[in-house]
Structures are given as structure tokens and as C-alpha cells.
Amino acid sequence: MRALIIMLAGLVSFAPVIGAKEFKLSSPDGKTSVSIEVTDGITCEVFRNEASLVKLSAVDLDTDVKDSWKIRKVRTRSHKEVLYPVIWQKSSVVEDEYNALTVDFAGGRTIEWRAYDNGVAYRWTMSYAKPFKVVEECAELTFADDAEIWYPAENNGFYSANEQKFTRMPLDELEQGRLASLPVLLSSGGSKVLVTESDLLDYAGMWMEKAEDHHAMKAVFPKFPKKLEKSGDRDEFVRDRENWIASYQDGTSFPWRIVAIADEDKDLLVNNLVYQLATPSEGDWSWVKPGKVQWDWWHDLNLSGVDFKAGLNTETYKYYIDFAASEGIDYVILDEGWSLKEDILALNPDIDVPGLISYAAEKGVDVVLWCTWLKLDERLEEAMDKFVEWGVKGIKVDFMSRDDQPMVQYYTRVSEAAAKRRLLVDFHGCYKPTGLHRTYPNVITFEGVYGMEQSKVDQDKIIGPEHNLTLPFTRMVAGPMDYTPGAMLNAHKKDWHPNYSSPHGMGTRCHSLAMYIIFESPFQMLCDSPSNYMKEPECMDFLTAVPTVWKKTVPLAAEVGRYAVVAREGEDGTWYVGAMAGPDSRSIDVDLDFLPSGRWSVQTWQDGVNAEKNAEDFAQVAFEVCNTDKLNIKMCNEGGYVAVIKALK
């Protein structure tokens, strides 16, 4: 016991003052710390290298149970563990190390704080032995006077698919009361600070809005729906709300509130706090299979050179299955149209769904079915049993567009029901990831991003290189991101325009290819038409080889909105380097010291000499390196670069 006390003395200090209790908690490396003061409420301040990053005031969880702020017990601990994700995302192992402070109050509430080297988190737990309601949750975050923010402002209140542009601006210029979904990224005190949450399983999602103070944000939450109105096959609108957030029968733990910290922009690319703070999975998940997916909707089932009428019919999907089988693509999605809108189990008479699934199985390809959440919910158990009977391997659930308590409970219910039947889940029209993919590894990816799907109608030209180079530092920090990359028709922003049936990706061809290394999704889409992919065999050489899960990630160079260079190791020891450029051209030298010793072959796909005019121009260059060399990466404006690096025997 003496050794434990000595160890904890350096990470937590306790200073009693009149009418208050003060604590200081430090991270294992001593560089991150949080000062906490408890009176009849909680305030705290987060520091990095002794510089103040953010002050949190009015930290409270208000329930309809009258309890006490009298401190009953204070506990401290140090934790160090290696986590082994069922489905790799950034890496096959995650170092989980933190110092913790837990304060128990006499009335039955507890708050736990954790200090990591790359962030701070806290959560509430209520141990009440009776029903209760959460009336309000409070937290106001005040940042440095010169703080900047990347803000995903919402336009339709709490009804949102979380598909917003991250607008960069000085925090004090943000309109008061302007609502935003999470994550929210700020530059404050010389560091990047990202605010988000984890372990959201049975509560309402956390949002942010500008507080009265010019330099402050505050947490807000959708109240419990009182009156709901269904519309069509996919929408359910909240027409009235209760005056409380959530209801429980007895005690429970609430989501973690996270302040992630990065000294350099590139550090955000390997921040795993959302995963680390989520509830671990239980049971056997060896059946969960990540992979690449041929997707039909983005290119409007637009095929050429075939002898049948392409569209929502059996012949078209057989063609997709044949293409997937020939290219080693693991899955084919049947998106909207395989069933009738009024009934999820009423099949489109032009599509033989059971026959296609059997045909795909013979070819070694698995099938995933799209559905609206509302129609799935109406016949959840029956529909999932039927999917299993047909041989379906996963579902893509769409259009939830809310995160109040009943909708969050829906996510958990679907995840559990799918897991029991060994079905994968891809949530679209959804809120940001909050660690559900750790608790239920069959939840393999999420949308919740303004991605390629919307480029078909993107009149404002938002889904371009600058946006693409903001997402890895914002939305992707929260978890897997189903951006749906893979465009083989490419154009620079000045030449680009939306086209519904023949859509183009904005940026160069290599910018498009690099998304498969920069953007993380264990269930990674190929959004373009098989007809276009078959015209690009050199690009397919890369797309069929690149993994969707990673043994190790090494961020090499990055600036939010400007550029990113990342190296990732595949399961077989092959390394992949991806780079993307924003509005400006780039020439970046990166060290190859992440490679083991020996000689390595490098095959690159890089912007061609005419790529500044013709975004589809690319070149392939091969050479050899060792780990003492540097890799020179040249990209034109809106460009990209990928390299496949293999050990030479």
C-alpha cells in the first residue's frame, strides 16, 4: 500500500480551502493537468505545459432528486493497459494510460476525472436506487482570448444528420446561441483542443452553442421528445419536448465529456480517446469482417458498355457482383430501391434479392442491404430474421437524424439485434461516433459527415480539398468515417460542377486515391461506377491492394485544412503513405525512419505533370529506399500522392 500512495502523490494534489475543496490531477507524462474546485458546484481549468487551454465552469448534472454536494470520499488511481481492438482502425494495439480522480458525494452522485497525455475527460455516475430524471446538464467552456474555432454550425436545430461544413473563424466572432454538433475543434493556448464525447448508449447527445461570453461555448442537449410526427418512410419529427433530458429507473453512468489536446495538428490523427473511453465489447466477434464495398447510389447505377438496361434490376446487380468478384471487393451494397418504401420486406419485383445474395455467395461476395431506420424499426426482429434467412451480411441504416434519448436507445437496440444475428451495421444519417464501435464491433462505420454522397448536389462547392483536409482533424477524431471515396472522374474546383448521374470528385485523381489512406473506415466504399473503374486498371491496382484496417499509424506532417501526410502499416507489413493537399501546391520531405531496416521497393501514384490543368492526370514512379532516406512528396494544388512500400527480400 505504501508504494501506491507514493505513486499517486505526484499525480493528484489536494488543497482544502474555506468552503471549497481543490484538486489537481496530472497526466502520466506530467504535461497535461486539470485543476478542479468543488463547492456547491464544480469548476476546473485544463492546462498543457502549464499554459491554460480551457476553463470549465458550472459543471453539473441536475436531476429531480435533491442530493448533496458534501464530499463523502475521494479516490485516486493510476491505470496502464494495452487494448487490442477487435477491428483495427488506427492500430492493432492502443496504449491506454491515465491518472484518475473520483469524487463521491453524500447524495449518491459521483464524478470521475481522467488525465491522459493527450486530453482530459470526466463523467457523472448516479447511484440512486429509485427512478429519476435528468433535468439539465451544464458545462461552459471558456477559451483563450485569441482562440479560433472550426465550427460545424447547424441550420435545423437538433434535427440533423451531422453533415455540416467546419467553418474556421475567431471564436469571438461566432454568433451567440449558434448551435453545432460535435466534434468542435479550437486553437487555444498554443494547442489544438477538440471537444467531443464517448460512451453514449442511453442518454441524449451533447451539442455546443456560443455562450454569452465572447470566448465561451456551452453544452446543450435535446430534451426528451413529448410529441412525435412521422412523415413518409424515413422521417420522424419532434413537435414538442419535455422539460427534461432523460429518464432512468435507477442509477446509471453517463457519457464521457472529452477535451482532446494536440501540440501539433498531426497529433489529432492518432488520438484514440473516444475509443479508449467507450464500454468494452463482450463475447466472440471473430466473425466481423472489414473490407471494401462496391456502392451503387453515388453514380446513379450509371453503367456503360453493357447489353442490358442499367438500373434497379437483377441484371445490374449481377454485374456489380461480377465486378466485385473479379477485383477482390468483399461486399456489394443494394442501396435504396431493393424494397418498396411502404414495407421493408416487400421486395421490388424487378430485383431478385434472395437470388442475388445466393449468386454473390457463389462468387465469394457478401451483400449488405440499405434501409431507413423507421421502416426497419417497424419490423425490426422480423426483418433481421429474414435478412439472415436470405444470407445478408450487414445493414446500412439511414435517416435517424436525431440523438435525443429514445433515438440513442434505438442505435443500441439495432446494434444488439444485429450482433445476435452476426450482421454488420453501417449507420448513415447519424450522429458522430461515440465509441459504439468498441462496445459493438459489428457497428463497423458511421456517416455523420458531409461527404462525397452530397457532392452530387453541392452547388456551393463545399466538398473540396480544404473541406477534405479539415475532416481528419475534426469528425474523424471521433471514429470511423464513411465518407464514401473513390471518384474516377476528377476536376479542380474552378472546373467542377455537380452532376447527379455522372458525378466528379473535386481535386486530382491522386487526391481521390489518397483518401483510402488518410480517411479511416474499416468498411470502405468504392463510390464510382464499375464502368469507370475498369477504364483505370492502374488505379485499381492500388484500390484492390489498399487495406481498410491498419496495424500502425504514423502521422508525418499536417496542418488543418491545408495538407496531411500519413504512413500506415498493413497486416502483412506493407506500408502505405498517403498525402493530400488543399488549395495550394506542396513539396514535403518526410523521414522514412518508421520503416524497419533493409531495402524497400516503393510504387507511387502521384500528380502528373499536367495535373494542374487536368485533374485526372497522374504518373506512376517506382524506386527503392531504406529507412534513412527521405520521401519527397510533390502535389499540385488540390492534389494528392500515394505510395505502397514493400520489403525487398
Side-chain angles (χ1 to χ4, degrees), residues 3 8 12 22 102 120 150 187 298 338 380 391 472 488 492 539 613:
L8 294 178
V12 178
E22 293 183 352
T102 303
V120 170
W150 285 260
S187 178
W298 187 70
W338 65 268
L380 180 63
M488 291 292 104
H492 284 289
C539 293
K613 289 184 178 181

Side-chain angles (χ1 to χ4, degrees), residues 222-239:
K223 297 294 180 71
F224 194 95
K226 185 176 183 179
K227 181 180 179 182
L228 294 166
E229 179 183 319
K230 294 180 180 179
S231 176
D233 67 329
R234 62 197 62 188
D235 293 314
E236 186 177 62
F237 300 105
V238 180
R239 299 308 186 193

Side-chain angles (χ1 to χ4, degrees), residues 227-426:
K227 181 180 179 182
L228 294 166
E229 179 183 319
K230 294 180 180 179
S231 176
D233 67 329
R234 62 197 62 188
D235 293 314
E236 186 177 62
F237 300 105
V238 180
R239 299 308 186 193
D240 194 15
R241 295 186 184 272
E242 303 284 359
N243 61 357
W244 44 272
I245 296 172
S247 177
Y248 300 93
Q249 290 303 304
D250 51 26
T252 191
S253 292
F254 293 89
W256 288 97
R257 284 43 185 111
I258 299 173
V259 177
I261 300 167
D263 294 333
E264 299 182 61
D265 292 9
K266 67 179 183 178
D267 297 337
L268 288 166
L269 303 178
V270 285
N271 190 296
N272 268 309
L273 286 181
V274 172
Y275 180 88
Q276 290 167 245
L277 288 160
T279 298
S281 61
E282 297 179 354
D284 174 26
W285 300 94
S286 58
W287 54 271
V288 179
K289 186 182 79 172
K292 289 187 278 287
V293 191
Q294 176 61 56
W295 184 40
D296 57 346
W297 187 88
W298 187 70
H299 57 271
D300 199 25
L301 297 110
N302 188 353
L303 302 176
S304 61
V306 297
D307 59 0
F308 56 85
K309 183 73 171 179
L312 291 169
N313 55 56
T314 299
E315 291 83 0
T316 298
Y317 282 115
K318 278 191 173 182
Y319 187 83
Y320 280 82
I321 291 165
D322 289 342
F323 171 73
S326 68
E327 298 293 341
I329 298 169
D330 306 277
Y331 297 91
V332 167
I333 278 185
L334 275 60
D335 212 284
E336 184 169 9
W338 65 268
S339 67
L340 304 184
K341 286 188 175 183
E342 58 271 17
D343 184 351
I344 193 172
L345 293 180
L347 299 181
N348 180 339
D350 294 328
I351 303 176
D352 178 10
V353 174
L356 282 169
I357 295 168
S358 296
Y359 180 78
E362 294 173 0
K363 298 274 186 173
V365 176
D366 291 323
V367 172
V368 174
L369 296 180
W370 173 94
C371 53
T372 69
W373 80 273
L374 194 55
K375 289 301 173 181
L376 177 64
D377 195 36
E378 288 177 356
R379 302 179 69 175
L380 180 63
E381 300 293 331
E382 181 184 4
M384 288 207 180
D385 286 341
K386 181 60 70 172
F387 296 162
V388 172
E389 179 185 322
W390 290 341
V392 172
K393 297 300 181 183
I395 54 175
K396 177 180 173 182
V397 189
D398 208 347
F399 290 106
M400 289 74 71
S401 299
R402 294 179 6 233
D403 65 353
D404 46 49
Q405 187 187 31
M407 185 58 79
V408 170
Q409 291 169 336
Y410 173 81
Y411 280 68
T412 304
R413 188 166 69 251
V414 168
S415 302
E416 289 180 348
K420 289 177 182 177
R421 297 164 174 84
R422 298 196 166 195
L423 294 173
L424 303 181
V425 182
D426 174 4

Side-chain angles (χ1 to χ4, degrees), residues 190-209:
S191 298
K192 292 297 191 301
V193 177
L194 182 131
V195 180
T196 193
E197 64 179 331
S198 181
D199 215 30
L200 178 64
L201 297 171
D202 188 21
Y203 189 60
M206 178 176 164
W207 300 57
M208 301 294 290
E209 69 178 20

